[in-house]
Amino acid sequence: MSIEQITARICAFRDARDWMQFHSPKELAIAITAEAGELLQHFVWQQPDQIAQRVREKMPELKDEMADVGILLFELAHNLGVDLGQAMLDKIERNETRYPVAKARGSNAKYNEL
């Protein structure tokens, strides 16, 4: 399914419940942060050697948290009139310039530190 098709389904779910009144940009941004925190909670205090096992054991919960973040993000973009697919492509293009392969390959340095 395309981003647009998924977003239409998200909006249909929301609208059937008359929830648009609760989904201001501020509320959606807060909810995205909260859901991202729930995703992060799965990894708090986990050592690098524990993470692979944690992912295997908690995959259903991880998928749900990722879906929550995605659903809210898709709706926020729709509500603000942002073509999320194009915005993502534009950002990748900017990052290709900021992180040229010759300088960035194998490095975790920020673009202004390469």
Side-chain angles (χ1 to χ4, degrees), residues 96-111:
E96 287 172 340
T97 301
R98 293 183 343 172
Y99 294 95
V101 173
K103 289 184 177 181
R105 186 171 181 81
S107 172
N108 65 353
K110 192 165 177 165
Y111 66 91

Side-chain angles (χ1 to χ4, degrees), residues 3-4 77 81-94:
I3 290 174
E4 292 79 15
V82 172
D83 179 335
L84 186 57
Q86 189 60 56
M88 293 166 70
L89 292 172
D90 292 346
K91 180 66 175 191
I92 292 167
E93 190 172 308
R94 282 194 306 280

Side-chain angles (χ1 to χ4, degrees), residues 28-42:
L28 289 170
I30 291 169
I32 289 167
T33 302
E35 294 299 341
E38 290 179 21
L39 176 61
L40 181 60
Q41 188 63 39
H42 286 278

Side-chain angles (χ1 to χ4, degrees), residues 20 22-32 72 76 79-80:
M20 181 62 183
F22 308 117
H23 290 202
S24 70
K26 178 193 78 124
E27 296 303 329
L28 289 170
I30 291 169
I32 289 167
L72 293 162
L76 177 60
N79 291 358
L80 296 178

Side-chain angles (χ1 to χ4, degrees), residues 2-12 74-75 77-78 84:
S2 71
I3 290 174
E4 292 79 15
Q5 291 168 316
I6 295 169
T7 301
R9 182 120 181 243
I10 292 165
C11 291
F74 280 31
E75 183 184 350
H78 170 79
L84 186 57

